[in-house]
Amino acid sequence: MSGASLSVLVVDADDSDVTADAVERRATERDGVDVERVSAPSRDAGTDTASVDTTDADAVFAVGEASLLALAADPPACPVVVVDAGAGRYDASTAEVDAAIDAVATDAYETAPHPVLGVAVDGEPVGAALADVSLVTAEPARISEYGVASDGWSETVRADGIVVATPLGSEGYAHAVDGPLLAPETGLTAVPISPYAMHADTWVLRPPVSLSVERDEAAVSLLLDDAVARTVPAAVPISITVAGRLSIAAPQTFGPATETDSGASAER
């Protein structure tokens, strides 16, 4: 893209305005960079999931977790630079924005492909998830039994819930409940939440993955990333497939970070 105009789309959310201001300002100051800024649509339960129009963008800067997760509804074809979204090894800091713009403008970076999960309940599509899909009892500390299956294999577990995470999502809630960290393109991990066992297994599975509620003992909610999609009754299959891919730019390949507004250098 060197020598040509670079179209950058900055996606922000209510919790990321300050950082998004810095990203927009730094991008606007660069020669040959056209910048547009949009707000991530609401992902509240009970609302239709809107998507972010990324059609004309050469690169998307997703600022904050809500902005990143909003891209699951319609994954962009261009690379995504994740900024201050709590995404661990995939997260760039505000100080790295200049280096990220340089890297994207000159194609001097690498990307990691990440699956976007399509979720259906009893064959009916209910939405998409970028980080994880969870079944959780609606009341705290209520045990239920869950089934998980993949590629001819199946298992059940007694727990408060179960979470299926992508490699990106394996950095978050799944890891907090003792799940493994996954490298890109290694599969999905399924992890029980507060299992009713001293030593519970976790699993790394090839998609598609199927989940189910095996006992009708408590109301169970289906969450797509951090949004409740619906409640799920017992014996109804929940299918999780790879519905698309998101190309995330690897911050480690951007080159040296510049200084932040406060003058402090970023260190990785």
Side-chain angles (χ1 to χ4, degrees):
M1 299 176 192
S2 180
S5 177
L6 177 70
S7 178
V8 168
L9 178 67
V10 178
V11 185
D12 68 11
D14 291 341
D15 61 350
S16 64
D17 281 347
V18 174
T19 303
D21 288 344
V23 172
E24 182 179 23
R25 182 176 67 254
R26 289 170 183 264
T28 302
E29 290 171 350
R30 305 302 297 272
D31 292 335
V33 177
D34 295 325
V35 183
E36 181 183 358
R37 182 170 168 180
V38 298
S39 294
S42 171
R43 301 178 60 254
D44 293 337
T47 63
D48 293 333
T49 302
S51 61
V52 178
D53 184 2
T54 61
T55 305
D56 296 327
D58 296 316
V60 172
F61 281 67
V63 185
E65 181 182 38
S67 300
L68 174 60
L69 297 180
L71 299 179
D74 187 11
C78 63
V80 176
V81 178
V82 181
V83 183
D84 287 350
R89 60 200 145 152
Y90 309 108
D91 218 8
S93 68
T94 307
E96 293 171 298
V97 169
D98 284 327
I101 293 171
D102 278 343
V104 172
T106 59
D107 290 324
Y109 66 101
E110 297 177 7
T111 60
H114 282 277
V116 176
L117 303 179
V119 183
V121 176
D122 202 17
E124 179 183 351
V126 294
L130 182 59
D132 49 48
V133 176
S134 306
L135 289 176
V136 183
T137 51
E139 297 179 35
R142 285 295 303 273
I143 295 290
S144 190
E145 185 171 355
Y146 300 92
V148 56
S150 171
D151 197 25
W153 167 92
S154 63
E155 185 62 272
T156 60
V157 59
R158 293 275 286 168
D160 285 356
I162 188 167
V163 54
V164 174
T166 65
L168 176 67
S170 71
E171 297 258 1
Y173 184 59
H175 190 52
V177 292
D178 298 327
L181 293 177
L182 299 182
E185 300 189 283
T186 54
L188 308 176
T189 182
V191 187
I193 301 169
S194 299
Y196 191 64
M198 289 294 292
H199 302 287
D201 291 329
T202 63
W203 305 279
V204 177
L205 307 171
R206 287 193 295 265
V209 171
S210 177
L211 297 179
S212 60
V213 180
E214 296 297 309
R215 298 193 185 192
D216 193 11
E217 297 179 0
V220 174
S221 297
L222 171 65
L223 283 76
L224 307 184
D225 290 327
D226 58 354
V228 176
R230 53 167 291 178
T231 57
V232 179
V236 173
I238 299 128
S239 65
I240 302 171
T241 60
V242 175
R245 300 277 177 182
L246 194 72
S247 182
I248 297 181
Q252 298 84 356
T253 65
F254 290 162
T258 60
E259 292 188 345
T260 64
D261 292 343
S262 62
S265 294
E267 296 182 359
R268 295 203 65 82

